[in-house]
Structure formats: structure tokens, C-alpha cells
Amino acid sequence: MNAFIKKNHRTLFYAAWLLIGLLQAGLTPLQDDEAYYWTFSRFLDWGYFDHPPMTALLIKIGYALFPNELGVRLMVVLLNTATVAICEALTERKAPFLFYALCGVLAVLQLSGFMAVPDLPLLFFTALFFYVYRHFVKDASPRNIVFLALVTAALMYSKYHAVLIVFFTLISNPKLFTRWQTYAAGIIALVLFLPHLWWQYGHDWISFRYHLFESNVNPYKFNYTTDYILGQLLITGPLAGFILLPALFIYKPKSINERALKFTGIGVLAFFLLSTFKGKVEANWTAPMVVPILVLCHQHLQQRTKARRWIGRLVLPTLILVAIIRFVMVVDVVPARVVQERFHYYHGWPKELSQRTGSLPLAIPSSYQKASQYWFYTGKPTYSVNEYIWRRNNHNFWPLEDSLLGKPVAVIDGAQPWTDSLQTPMGTIHWSVDSAFHSFSKIMIRPGQSTYEIAAGAPLNITARADVPLHYAAYLQQHPDVDAPVKIGLFKEGKLVHDLPLQLSVQGLVKSPQQSFQLPLSVPPGTYFLRFAIGSDAGWFTHNSDKINVEVKP
């Protein structure tokens, strides 16, 4: 038996890794974000509000083979297994059982390795990038130039954080800037990435504006930094983080490729540490540093007998902990809201509600999570009507609202009277049937400027123009009785201060797109922003402008 294991250990390890991932993928209910990315695949495109399109493409491929949870995650599970294999190749397979032990204590590779989220293709292409880069620095042949360009483009199509990997690799080896091959690879990668940039241009650079200026912009809190540090220790463990994370800093690289790995691992950690001073940072944003951790810790621990023994001792406790968490993901046995909300809230009730509402599509207020989960588990197109007090997402751009305009729709938790209600794990859901649904988030009101300055107590004068899509304009002209109100929300630090009602309706915007407003802002000096909003039948007001910054001077 021992001889068989010694001879076939690598095959056994990867077969077990893949099989466990496939079982977990098929048995675990979709998380909210996974269901959302599944809806991406219903509208395959070169870009999305939140992310580049790689995850949508992978889901599209897998779901075409298996139209269920396994199909959504199939390609990700395969990529996760390939990621581990490439990382082992980057270590030159010097100590395979140490490598297996490191995979065993890195719980994040096991517990997230089956989830259809952008971090997983990013992780795969990060590992592949360093594998190709190793060959490129040894031989910058035309073949390796093209391979490096292809992988770099795939990185960028996975998640925008990929730019950090490229940046830290470049600064780890300044000689790259003196080689024409580097620029050739960069130009080819840029050409391959142009379709996404063209999509961004056509959508007013919405993803870049959101991630750079709207998302994760909050007043600093000390716990943003402490939570981030603790989160990184847990990600690189959870039990072995105190060994693995310091090893990344201690290890002295022995090659150009290892130097790039170290620069990237530490650089990504430092970048997001600094980002905590701007707002809350999610622990998973540092996912690319798992590759440097796995590779460099393997190299470091070969010469550290005591630390290596500790890793060996922590494998079994970590695997037991992982096994318990895997079970809890599949079976609803833990009465903890955080677990139930993430994995078990969508058992049963979507299908029951679908039976009650018949063939009607569904509209849900400001919840791409509920909308996506309901759509996945019932097969019915479901529209998240994003209210002006929350953030936008892809439901603001897909042709869902357009297709529902003036048609019968089942509306969840809209204005009373309600037709019926349903008890769910999330609480009571009320719904009613809107015989002619009206929502107008595709109408955009654009002011003459994006920033205004006024003195405290002075009115704010704004001139704006409404862009009304032809489909909406034609419908409103044919239905003059449909006359939703328009208002402006005043916000400070992301929270609504109060509404500013306007003597204006959606019919007025169609008849006279150019409008001027004098707004009395009775607020203390400070930084605010405004947002136009148009009402809907259900009583919700949607996003109908970008942020309009206002500085109120003393």
C-alpha cells in the first residue's frame, strides 16, 4: 500500500482534490454572488457593471453542459485544480508531500475553490502568468511573447485586480523596461483587451468610475485596518496563517520569478492595507497572493524543519475544520443566520412563489441577490429595481426593464394593496400583480456639470438634460396617463439627508428634455451629492443620474 502511494501520490492527490471539488460544487446551493454571475451568463457581453466577463464565460460553458449548480461551478473547479498543479510546477516539485500539506492548511483553496466567483479565474491566471513569465525571462521568443500576452489579457478579463500582478512583476525586474519584447507582449495584450475597453467607453466607463470613486469610499474606521489584518491571517490558514504569512516576508528569492512572486504577494497585501484608509476592504480581494504564499512558503519551509513539522501537525485539524464547514454548506443544520443567509435561504420558497404567480416575471426592490437566486431556481426572468438610495448594478443596463414596460408583472414588497404573502426563511414576502408595470431607470438626467460650489443658505441652480430612450419616449407618448414623479435625493457620506421634490414628471421630461432647477439647500457646510430619481408604480424611485457633487461653503 505504501509503495502504491509513493508511486501514485500525485495522481491520487489531484484526483481527490478534483473529486471533492466536484461533489461540493454539485451539492452546495448557490451563493448570492454566484447566482448574480450566472445572470451575467444570460447576457454574455464584453463587460459588466461590476467585473470583466471571464466568470460569465466560464459559467456559460459549464451551464451548457449541466444546467444546475454543478454546471455553474464546473469550469471553476477544473481551474482550481489546475491552479494547484501550476503552483506545484512553480516549486519545481522539490518536496511534493510538503506541498500537499500546504494545500491542506490553506483552507481558502478548499472552501472557495468550487465557487463561481471572479477570484478563482484570477487565481488560475495568476499562477499561469508566473509560469509563462518564468519561461519568458529565460527565452523571450516570439512564442513566449504571445503566450505572455494571452495570459496577461486573460488576467485582465478575470478581474481588475490583475493590474496589480502585472505592475508588481514589472517593478520586481526593472530590466523588463529595456527589452522590446516586454512592450511587444504589452501591446498584444492591450489589443486583446480592447473589446472590453470599447464596452467601457460605450457605457461611459461605468465600471472604472464605480470602483474608483463610488465603491468602498467611506470615512475611515480603525477596525477597517485591524479586520483586514486579521482577515489575511485567516485566509492564509486559518490555523497556519501565523507561519505562512511571515514566511512570505522572510523568504529570500533565488530567481527572477521568485522575486516577482514575492513582490506581488507583499505588494498586493500592502496595496489593500493602504486601501483600508479609504474604506472597508473585503478579505478576498487579496486572493492573488495565495499563489506567492503557496510557492514561496514551500521553498522557505524546506529548510525550516521545526516550522515544517508544525505545518504537518496542523493539516489534520484544518482538514477536520474544513470538512465540518463543507457539511454545513450543504446541509442546513446550523441555526446561525449568517450561514443560513449565505447557503440555505432559497430552499423551496422560490418555486412555491413561482407556482402562485404563474407565468408572470418578477420585480424585486434593490436586491440583485434575491432577483438572481429567484431567476436561477425558477427559470423566470427577474428584475431588481435598484432604488436611488442603493447602488446600481447590471440590472440597470440589461434589457430587463425595457422588456417589462407596460406588461403584467408580479411585484415583491411594492406599494400596497398586496395580493398575497409568503413565509420564507428571510421573513414574510408580500406580492401583488401590476397589470402594467412602469419603471424608468433607463432615463438618465445629465446636469451641465458634475460638481457645484455654493455658499451656505444660497440656492443651487442646475441645468440638466434628460436622455429618454426612444422605446420609453414612444411608450410615454402613447400613454399620457403614465406620469411618474421626479425628485432629487440629497446625500452626505452615502446616506440620504432628505428629498427635494420637483414640480416635474416623466411626461414633462419627454416633452421638454432640457430643464432648469433652483434648489433650496438648507444644510450645514460640507460635502454632499445629489441624485435624480423617477418614481415607479410600486412606489420605488430609481437611479436616474450619476452623482452630482455639491460643496457647501461656510
Side-chain angles (χ1 to χ4, degrees):
M1 184 66 177
N2 288 338
F4 176 80
I5 292 175
K6 287 181 180 180
K7 183 178 179 180
N8 300 283
H9 61 83
R10 188 164 283 110
T11 300
L12 293 171
F13 171 77
Y14 286 106
W17 190 277
L18 177 60
L19 178 61
I20 293 171
L22 290 173
L23 287 172
Q24 192 79 49
L27 296 174
T28 307
L30 287 194
Q31 293 185 87
D32 291 341
D33 284 350
E34 291 181 289
Y36 183 44
Y37 300 135
W38 172 82
T39 63
F40 282 26
S41 71
R42 304 299 90 193
F43 301 95
L44 203 59
D45 207 341
W46 285 105
Y48 300 92
F49 179 88
D50 314 77
H51 294 292
M54 182 62 73
T55 303
L57 177 61
L58 296 174
I59 292 174
K60 186 81 172 180
I61 295 169
Y63 196 75
L65 298 173
F66 304 103
N68 50 32
E69 289 92 343
L70 175 60
V72 171
R73 295 161 169 157
L74 176 64
M75 296 304 296
V76 167
V77 173
L78 296 176
L79 290 187
N80 177 254
T81 306
T83 300
V84 176
I86 294 169
C87 286
E88 188 189 7
L90 288 170
T91 69
E92 299 179 352
R93 299 182 174 184
K94 294 178 180 178
F97 290 96
L98 171 59
F99 182 81
Y100 305 155
L102 287 171
C103 292
V105 297
L106 271 171
V108 66
L109 273 175
Q110 303 171 63
L111 294 176
S112 67
F114 69 94
M115 296 179 184
V117 294
D119 297 303
L120 271 298
L122 176 67
L123 201 57
F124 167 74
F125 286 112
T126 298
L128 189 58
F129 174 84
F130 286 113
Y131 184 81
V132 173
Y133 174 70
R134 184 172 68 177
H135 290 279
F136 175 80
V137 294
K138 291 179 181 178
D139 177 18
S141 64
R143 176 183 176 182
N144 287 334
I145 291 172
V146 172
F147 282 169
L148 185 63
L150 288 170
V151 175
T152 302
L155 260 178
M156 297 302 299
Y157 274 115
S158 299
K159 198 171 183 180
Y160 297 121
H161 296 169
V163 71
L164 297 175
I165 295 143
V166 176
F167 173 75
F168 289 117
T169 298
L170 286 170
I171 66 171
S172 75
N173 185 6
K175 289 182 179 179
L176 290 172
F177 293 101
T178 67
R179 304 174 67 180
W180 68 265
Q181 293 94 335
T182 305
Y183 297 97
I187 291 170
I188 296 171
L190 179 61
V191 170
L192 294 172
F193 197 59
L194 279 178
H196 179 69
L197 296 178
W198 182 255
W199 183 91
Q200 289 290 348
Y201 171 77
H203 291 78
D204 199 23
W205 307 100
I206 183 63
S207 302
F208 299 151
R209 289 192 294 110
Y210 170 72
H211 286 296
L212 293 174
F213 305 115
E214 296 182 26
S215 174
N216 190 39
V217 179
N218 298 294
Y220 176 69
K221 296 180 181 178
F222 184 66
N223 68 288
Y224 288 167
T225 302
T226 55
D227 289 352
Y228 169 77
I229 295 171
L230 179 60
Q232 298 315 302
L233 288 169
L234 293 174
I235 278 185
T236 51
L239 303 180
F242 290 95
I243 298 174
L244 301 185
L245 201 58
L248 176 65
F249 290 83
I250 296 170
Y251 179 70
K252 295 181 180 180
K254 295 179 176 61
S255 68
I256 293 175
N257 200 49
E258 287 186 357
R259 179 178 169 85
L261 282 162
K262 181 165 184 174
F263 267 63
T264 299
I266 295 175
V268 167
L269 287 169
F271 176 85
F272 287 111
L273 176 63
L274 293 175
S275 297
T276 63
F277 294 97
K278 174 175 169 263
K280 185 175 177 60
V281 171
E282 301 294 335
N284 64 291
W285 290 357
T286 61
M289 65 93 178
V290 170
V291 173
I293 284 281
L294 192 53
V295 175
L296 299 184
C297 286
H298 171 274
Q299 308 297 77
H300 176 73
L301 292 175
Q302 288 185 85
Q303 311 302 323
R304 302 293 190 278
T305 304
K306 186 175 181 180
R308 191 167 68 248
R309 287 175 180 169
W310 269 107
I311 292 296
R313 292 167 184 159
L314 292 173
V315 171
L316 183 59
T318 302
L319 291 179
I320 292 173
L321 178 62
V322 166
I324 292 171
I325 296 174
R326 286 186 186 277
F327 182 76
V328 168
M329 287 178 176
V330 175
V331 183
D332 187 8
V333 294
V334 177
R337 182 179 178 87
V338 64
V339 176
Q340 293 175 326
E341 188 176 50
R342 191 161 189 175
F343 296 103
H344 305 297
Y345 266 7
Y346 296 92
H347 285 170
W349 75 261
K351 290 184 179 179
E352 183 178 350
L353 181 60
S354 177
Q355 291 171 356
R356 294 197 193 185
T357 57
S359 61
L360 294 178
L362 206 68
I364 295 177
S366 298
S367 181
Y368 70 82
Q369 300 96 333
K370 287 182 185 177
S372 302
Q373 292 273 24
Y374 184 86
W375 191 346
F376 179 81
Y377 284 109
T378 66
K380 290 183 180 180
T382 308
Y383 174 49
S384 173
V385 185
N386 295 320
E387 297 176 272
Y388 73 116
I389 58 174
W390 305 109
R391 79 171 183 91
R392 290 183 289 176
N393 54 53
N394 274 285
H395 285 261
N396 290 87
F397 302 96
W398 289 330
L400 288 167
E401 182 184 83
D402 319 48
S403 65
L404 300 178
L405 192 62
K407 296 180 180 178
V409 173
V411 177
I412 292 291
D413 292 334
Q416 297 187 38
W418 297 313
T419 303
D420 203 350
S421 63
L422 181 68
Q423 292 295 327
T424 77
M426 296 176 291
T428 303
I429 287 179
H430 300 90
W431 61 277
S432 57
V433 175
D434 188 341
S435 59
F437 179 75
H438 299 121
S439 178
F440 302 101
S441 70
K442 293 289 180 69
I443 297 176
M444 291 300 291
I445 303 174
R446 307 184 190 280
Q449 56 195 79
S450 60
T451 302
Y452 294 84
E453 287 188 7
I454 61 170
L460 174 63
N461 296 301
I462 293 181
T463 298
R465 182 175 181 82
D467 290 339
V468 184
L470 294 177
H471 174 51
Y472 288 71
Y475 181 86
L476 287 165
Q477 288 168 356
Q478 295 166 9
H479 299 82
D481 57 315
V482 177
D483 201 16
V486 181
K487 67 179 181 181
I488 291 178
L490 176 66
F491 296 80
K492 184 175 178 62
E493 296 179 351
K495 296 181 180 179
L496 181 67
V497 176
H498 59 255
D499 287 323
L500 303 169
L502 302 174
Q503 299 300 313
L504 181 65
S505 66
V506 70
Q507 289 286 351
L509 292 176
V510 173
K511 295 172 184 175
S512 180
Q514 191 79 15
Q515 297 283 338
S516 295
F517 310 95
Q518 187 176 77
L519 307 175
L521 297 186
S522 301
V523 293
T527 301
Y528 301 82
F529 72 84
L530 307 174
R531 182 178 288 143
F532 282 91
I534 299 176
S536 67
D537 294 345
W540 308 319
F541 279 78
T542 57
H543 284 252
N544 293 96
S545 73
D546 292 326
K547 285 183 177 180
I548 305 165
N549 297 309
V550 179
E551 187 71 30
V552 179
K553 300 290 185 180

